[in-house]
Amino acid sequence: SPAPFAASEGGMMTATSLAARPCPAIIGRRAHTGSNASCSAKRAARPRCRRASLRVRAADDPDPEQVATDEGCRTIVITSGKGGVGKTTTSANLGMSIARLGYKVCLVDADIGLRNLDLLLGLENRVMYTAMEVLEGECRMEQALIRDKRWRSLALLPISKNRQKYNVTKDSMSLLIDILKDMNFQYIFIDCPAGIDVGFINAIAGANEAIVVTTPEITAIRDADRVAGLLEANDIYDVKLIVNRVRADMIKKNDMMSVKDVQEMLGVPLLGAIPEDTEVIVSTNRGEPLVLKKKLTLAGIAYENAARRVVGKQDFLIDLEQPKKGLLQRTKEFFTGSD
């Protein structure tokens, strides 16, 4: 398997600090990855294209106007291949976190017929027009965009829930992205539908970067590996990885792959590791992203740290190797002096 990545551009940290003991459950499986493993090795060995852009250090506050001038608009598609791994949740929390940093962000829901991004943001009752009406000339882009009342720098472009995937083409999706770029958005996140069919091809048409979301399951990892290959085939080489629903207790028992295992199998630089959190369900039902909670949970902190790394700030990954200790366990260790 490929060697762990060194520090990447923009303050990206490696997964070395998150490494756990190799999981015996996957040792036998790695032998069956076949061509997928070789493709991952090639991706790891390929030199990454570097963007001639302004990178903001952790000690500095970003100047949105300066960043917009030097970088232009960054269009990032969030995809996975497998459904239910947390693409929409990641889109909502990353977009909200970056908007809170002072950047102009637009979230595009590209899941035609099955849109959910408006629900996670609590904007479902304000949808009057969608991207389909913009393409058909029934409304302007300003009318279809929904500005979040909590953070005006965040906007949502919903997609129709009554149409089919074949109603949108690559050219029409690229046209939508070009219109948004002309509106001086600094970050455009495209919430990609599950699968690798025409919906996936259309969603990545206007993107130049990608974030692959996966879970530490062999089925999700196989789909993520396939998606990473398709992204490169479509000239998207700036790809980052988010490992979602990580459980430290299962990693310690060798019942779940560690973040390092997942990264080595995919050969993609790590952007963040998100722990399993029941508050995700609560925040989804309330229409409030996890990063807006007054008392941030560990998953909320992980999303905020990943957002800071997206904009170029240096930040550290949360150590998910050790499970969270309870009050009794911490009290016992205090009196006994053991770790």
Side-chain angles (χ1 to χ4, degrees):
S1 59
F5 285 91
S8 60
E9 183 184 3
M12 191 77 59
M13 301 298 294
T14 67
T16 306
S17 60
L18 297 173
R21 296 191 304 273
C23 179
I26 66 164
I27 294 177
R29 294 182 183 269
R30 288 181 175 173
H32 299 285
T33 55
S35 60
N36 290 339
S38 61
C39 292
S40 299
K42 291 179 181 179
R43 283 198 296 273
R46 174 179 293 180
R48 299 285 168 181
C49 58
R50 295 183 176 272
R51 296 170 55 89
S53 57
L54 174 67
R55 295 298 179 184
V56 187
R57 295 187 180 275
D60 302 329
D61 291 331
D63 185 350
E65 297 298 331
Q66 182 68 22
V67 175
T69 302
D70 291 351
E71 276 195 348
C73 180
R74 295 176 59 185
T75 307
I76 306 173
V77 61
I78 299 180
T79 182
S80 69
K82 182 176 176 59
V85 298
K87 294 185 297 296
T88 304
T89 302
T90 299
S91 301
N93 284 279
L94 286 184
M96 182 63 74
S97 295
I98 294 177
R100 294 174 67 192
L101 291 174
Y103 296 87
K104 292 185 63 177
V105 181
C106 181
L107 300 177
V108 180
D109 195 338
D111 197 350
I112 304 175
L114 294 173
R115 73 170 189 231
N116 289 312
L117 192 53
D118 55 330
L119 291 173
L120 270 68
L121 295 171
L123 303 175
E124 67 277 6
N125 294 327
R126 297 175 54 195
V127 177
M128 297 297 294
Y129 299 101
T130 66
M132 300 303 300
E133 281 74 33
V134 176
L135 294 173
E136 294 172 357
E138 298 179 8
C139 71
R140 303 187 307 274
M141 178 64 79
E142 292 82 357
Q143 294 174 296
L145 284 175
I146 305 174
R147 303 283 179 175
D148 192 279
K149 293 182 178 180
R150 296 159 295 194
W151 293 92
R152 299 295 295 177
S153 57
L154 177 68
L156 168 68
L157 178 61
I159 201 73
S160 176
K161 62 179 180 181
N162 300 320
R163 304 295 181 90
Q164 300 296 327
K165 294 179 180 179
Y166 53 78
N167 293 126
V168 177
T169 63
K170 294 175 60 177
D171 293 337
S172 58
M173 182 60 71
S174 298
L175 176 62
L176 289 174
I177 300 302
D178 290 339
I179 296 174
L180 293 173
K181 288 180 178 179
D182 292 337
M183 299 177 69
N184 297 323
F185 283 105
Q186 295 164 264
Y187 288 89
I188 300 175
F189 288 96
I190 304 174
D191 184 22
C192 183
I196 55 174
D197 56 359
V198 64
F200 168 80
I201 299 299
N202 293 337
I204 67 175
N208 46 39
E209 301 178 42
I211 296 176
V212 177
V213 183
T214 186
T215 58
E217 302 174 10
I218 194 67
T219 53
I221 294 173
R222 173 183 285 181
D223 292 350
D225 185 68
R226 173 64 172 157
V227 164
L230 290 175
L231 290 171
E232 290 191 357
N234 287 272
D235 299 327
I236 301 178
Y237 301 106
D238 192 350
V239 183
K240 301 297 186 297
L241 174 68
I242 285 184
V243 184
N244 197 18
R245 297 178 181 173
V246 179
R247 293 186 56 177
D249 56 337
M250 294 186 65
I251 294 177
K252 190 174 183 179
K253 296 177 182 177
N254 291 333
D255 292 332
M256 176 180 284
M257 282 178 279
S258 67
V259 177
K260 181 182 177 181
D261 289 329
V262 177
Q263 184 188 12
E264 288 182 349
M265 293 181 71
L266 294 177
V268 177
L270 184 66
L271 178 65
I274 315 299
E276 181 77 36
D277 194 346
T278 57
E279 287 296 321
V280 173
I281 301 176
V282 178
S283 64
T284 299
N285 293 335
R286 293 179 177 175
E288 181 179 286
L290 202 61
V291 295
L292 288 183
K293 293 180 68 68
K294 293 182 179 179
K295 185 177 180 181
L296 285 179
T297 61
L298 194 60
I301 296 174
Y303 275 124
E304 283 204 334
N305 290 349
R308 291 171 62 86
R309 286 189 290 275
V310 169
V311 301
K313 286 177 171 287
Q314 296 182 356
D315 212 329
F316 292 95
L317 295 168
I318 296 178
D319 187 5
L320 300 178
E321 180 180 353
Q322 297 296 331
K324 185 177 180 181
K325 300 178 181 179
L327 177 61
L328 293 177
Q329 185 176 1
R330 294 198 302 269
T331 304
K332 179 181 178 181
E333 292 178 356
F334 176 77
F335 286 106
T336 59
S338 60
D339 293 331

